[in-house]
Amino acid sequence: MTPPRSLTEVEGLGSPHVQFLTTEHWSLLATRSMTWSEIFSRTGTYLTVLSATVIALSLVANASGFGSAFLTFALLVLPVTLLIGLGTYFRLIEADVEDSWLVIGMNRLRHAYLELAPELEPYFVAGHHDDPPGIMTTYSFRNRVGLSHWLSGSPVVVGIIDAVVVGVLAAVICEAAGGEAVLRTVVGVLAAAAATVLLGVLGYRKIREVTRDYEPRFPG
């Protein structure tokens, strides 16, 4: 790839170029704001549906004493809740990928600002390189983050909740089939563990698919 020319080498560089850069920066910032709003909205909607499902199940259980009516109701509402949860999980993965590209775009624009005014570099807190360390600097103001940062992300939290719902649904199906308490517990735990691994692998593959061929244009 031919490296891009420095902005200082562009003939006739003037204020219109700065206006173009700042306009694009605000456009990316607005798009990133909408992306995060969607992340919070989708996560909140799923948690609301999940809470309503739990409350509804508890009311039916109190009324039917965990009888056949409860099992029928659980087999109706839990798959719907799980479907919403899976849709939320995969959309959050997509939103995080989109947000990463927006961060890359803004880092490149900050790099352009510093080509125009290199003396301003000490005043920039966010990253101005589009390589992984530069992206992480914009995300967390450091080159790398720990495990706790990744575990607290919305996709991971929603994925874990989805895995628990899978385990509960598997236990309910096992009970409806006449399984004993021990068998229901084992089936539920194994189903939840398998769902956790599967969702993690699918999420990682999606991220890896997007980032595999990426080459930074302005590495640090």
Side-chain angles (χ1 to χ4, degrees):
M1 177 185 298
T2 302
R5 290 189 299 166
S6 170
L7 286 179
T8 56
E9 298 174 359
V10 179
E11 185 178 357
L13 179 62
S15 57
H17 296 79
V18 178
Q19 294 176 3
F20 297 153
L21 293 173
T22 54
T23 300
E24 176 68 7
H25 200 145
W26 280 108
S27 175
L28 295 179
L29 186 62
T31 305
R32 193 181 183 204
S33 177
M34 290 188 295
T35 300
W36 276 96
S37 295
E38 182 184 4
I39 290 175
F40 294 140
S41 176
R42 282 182 173 268
T43 303
T45 299
Y46 173 50
L47 294 179
T48 300
V49 171
L50 181 63
S51 299
T53 300
V54 173
I55 293 174
L57 288 172
S58 64
L59 293 175
V60 173
N62 288 332
S64 63
F66 293 97
S68 60
F70 170 80
L71 292 177
T72 301
F73 184 75
L75 291 174
L76 288 174
V77 299
L78 285 177
V80 176
T81 303
L82 178 59
L83 179 62
I84 296 174
L86 293 176
T88 301
Y89 173 75
F90 289 114
R91 178 54 194 148
L92 291 181
I93 294 291
E94 293 282 351
D96 274 0
V97 171
E98 294 170 6
D99 186 62
S100 297
W101 281 109
L102 294 172
V103 168
I104 289 172
M106 288 191 289
N107 279 16
R108 289 178 176 177
L109 292 175
R110 275 187 288 269
H111 191 277
Y113 298 152
L114 291 178
E115 287 189 356
L116 294 171
E119 68 276 6
L120 296 179
E121 183 174 2
Y123 305 100
F124 277 66
V125 177
H128 53 274
H129 297 289
D130 59 351
D131 54 1
I135 297 171
M136 292 308 302
T137 299
T138 299
Y139 266 119
S140 60
F141 304 107
R142 48 197 167 184
N143 289 337
R144 61 180 62 186
V145 294
L147 181 62
S148 60
H149 179 88
W150 298 110
L151 291 178
S152 62
S154 297
V156 175
V157 173
V158 171
I160 292 174
I161 295 175
D162 287 345
V164 173
V165 174
V166 169
V168 172
L169 179 59
V172 170
I173 294 174
C174 185
E175 182 178 1
E180 298 295 332
V182 175
L183 179 61
R184 294 197 301 268
T185 302
V186 172
V187 169
V189 171
L190 291 179
T196 301
V197 174
L198 179 61
L199 291 176
V201 170
L202 292 176
Y204 174 79
R205 287 182 61 183
K206 179 61 180 177
I207 296 174
R208 181 61 180 168
E209 176 185 343
V210 175
T211 60
R212 182 176 57 245
D213 299 326
Y214 172 71
E215 294 183 6
R217 300 184 65 183
F218 305 103

